[in-house]
Amino acid sequence: MLNPAAPRLAHTPPAGQGGFAWRYVDLVDDTGGGVVLIWGWALPFLASPATDAPADHPVINLVVYQGGVPTFYHLQRFDPAAVRAVPGGWRFGDNLLQSEREGDGWRVRAVLDLPVAGAAGRARAELHLHGPAAFGHPGQGGPHAWSVLSTPASATFSLECPGIAPIAMVGRGYHDENHCERPLTALGIREWAWGRVAEPEAERIHYSVMGSGEPVSLDVTAWPSGRLEFGRVNTFSGEGRVGGTWGFSAPQRLQVNEQALSAGAPVDESSFYLRFPLTSPRGRGWGERVRPAAIGSRWMQPMVQLCVTGPDDGGSFLLPWFSGPRATRLARLGPWWRR
């Protein structure tokens, strides 16, 4: 179900039908705010048909978190004809997304030019990450390859968008990749839990995949050199609850071996996905819970589509409410409806 594989230098879509691939970057700053950027093909949350080629479903997702809420959200599907490879990465429409190894280091450069539903202008953002190239993956085999690319890393982010003050963040960065040649629903995963916490001397990462048998759990320490130390998981337990608005919750207190973690109120929540701030006594970061079987539910998918900007910059009649700056969503509805 899960293969902690050595990184692939090139980020490419899976060759077969129904697979998925994405690269993920996040930043957490000293206040607990942060950014998540995901780009790739056939993100499972959008429930692309399993008979389609992943390359036909390119996607970008950008979220900015401040004060415990998403203050900017963007999820965009692209016409495959607008996607092309460039040195070090890709162009998705007007967006440059580069992720590449440089000697013993890894660098990410994302320059984004995004439509804002109902606004006269566009959002322009830049994210930069630089850190060690991770090494030491055991590569245990399996269809679902998870690769840490760089951490602990340094990251910066800036955003200029109509109607809000410019945003600038500096913090600890994390970069990984998921790649699979099969649909997520074919992997036998009932639920997965992932989290990363930036502690002073290293990054602590956990990943647990639960199916019909015993969970496959990883306890990983990423040292400043980029060396990954995979520890045996003797304890993986949780107490309390966060979330639950849509029937899906996560433990409020999680024990991964000797590390005690606390989850805050979710910043993203649905019937199949939770994202929440994650803290330890000496650090902070992000956590996720995913329930794959609930992704394609008939009642939830129409709600997901309300958030998606289409290839032609179009989208649902409520797109300004769910996309763009939180502070201007009500003001943008009228212009969107009159277009």
Side-chain angles (χ1 to χ4, degrees), residues 27-326:
L27 176 158
V28 61
D29 68 13
D30 292 339
T31 71
V35 178
V36 170
L37 173 63
I38 303 170
W39 70 100
W41 295 270
L43 296 190
F45 302 162
L46 293 178
S48 302
T51 55
D52 285 6
D56 291 339
H57 298 278
V59 180
I60 288 178
N61 184 208
L62 173 68
V63 193
V64 181
Y65 301 105
Q66 296 172 294
V69 297
T71 56
F72 181 91
Y73 185 91
H74 189 82
L75 177 60
Q76 184 173 0
R77 293 185 291 110
F78 290 85
D79 184 335
V83 173
R84 61 184 177 90
V86 296
W90 294 85
R91 277 199 175 275
F92 282 33
D94 296 322
N95 305 280
L96 175 65
L97 300 148
Q98 294 173 307
S99 166
E100 58 184 331
R101 181 164 182 158
E102 296 181 343
D104 293 333
W106 203 286
R107 187 178 297 277
V108 175
R109 178 178 179 239
V111 182
L112 308 178
D113 186 349
L114 307 170
V116 180
R122 296 170 68 88
R124 291 179 170 82
E126 289 198 25
L127 187 150
H128 297 266
L129 176 145
H130 185 255
F135 64 94
H137 304 76
Q140 296 172 346
H144 177 194
W146 170 64
S147 305
V148 178
L149 301 177
S150 183
T151 199
S154 299
T156 62
F157 174 78
S158 63
L159 171 70
E160 294 186 358
C161 183
I164 63 171
I167 296 172
M169 292 185 180
V170 177
R172 194 78 156 249
Y174 170 89
H175 186 29
D176 73 8
E177 177 182 68
N178 282 266
H179 183 99
C180 188
E181 296 289 339
R182 302 181 191 172
L184 182 61
T185 52
L187 299 179
I189 298 173
R190 175 174 53 84
E191 186 175 322
W192 85 55
W194 169 89
R196 73 96 169 178
V197 174
E199 296 194 336
E201 73 285 354
E203 202 80 24
R204 293 293 302 273
I205 309 161
H206 69 266
Y207 206 148
S208 183
V209 177
M210 293 150 268
S212 57
E214 288 295 313
V216 178
S217 298
L218 305 173
D219 179 11
V220 186
T221 302
W223 299 103
S225 65
R227 180 173 66 87
L228 303 178
E229 183 179 313
F230 285 76
R232 180 176 178 178
V233 178
N234 299 309
T235 302
F236 192 91
S237 61
E239 296 179 343
R241 190 178 84 153
V242 297
T245 303
W246 301 97
F248 185 34
S249 61
Q252 186 178 33
R253 296 174 298 280
L254 182 66
Q255 190 75 32
V256 183
N257 289 335
E258 86 294 346
Q259 188 184 39
L261 301 169
S262 297
V267 292
D268 282 330
E269 185 174 5
S270 74
S271 64
F272 57 82
Y273 178 75
L274 293 172
R275 172 175 288 277
F276 40 85
L278 196 63
T279 58
S280 72
R282 298 185 306 120
R284 63 174 78 240
W286 301 107
E288 290 181 335
R289 288 261 168 164
V290 182
R291 190 163 59 181
I295 289 175
S297 60
R298 292 184 179 180
W299 68 273
M300 194 75 203
Q301 269 303 309
M303 299 180 69
V304 174
Q305 296 305 318
L306 293 176
C307 311
V308 181
T309 300
D312 57 355
D313 292 355
S316 74
F317 74 106
L318 284 177
L319 185 61
W321 189 259
F322 296 105
S323 182
R326 183 185 185 94

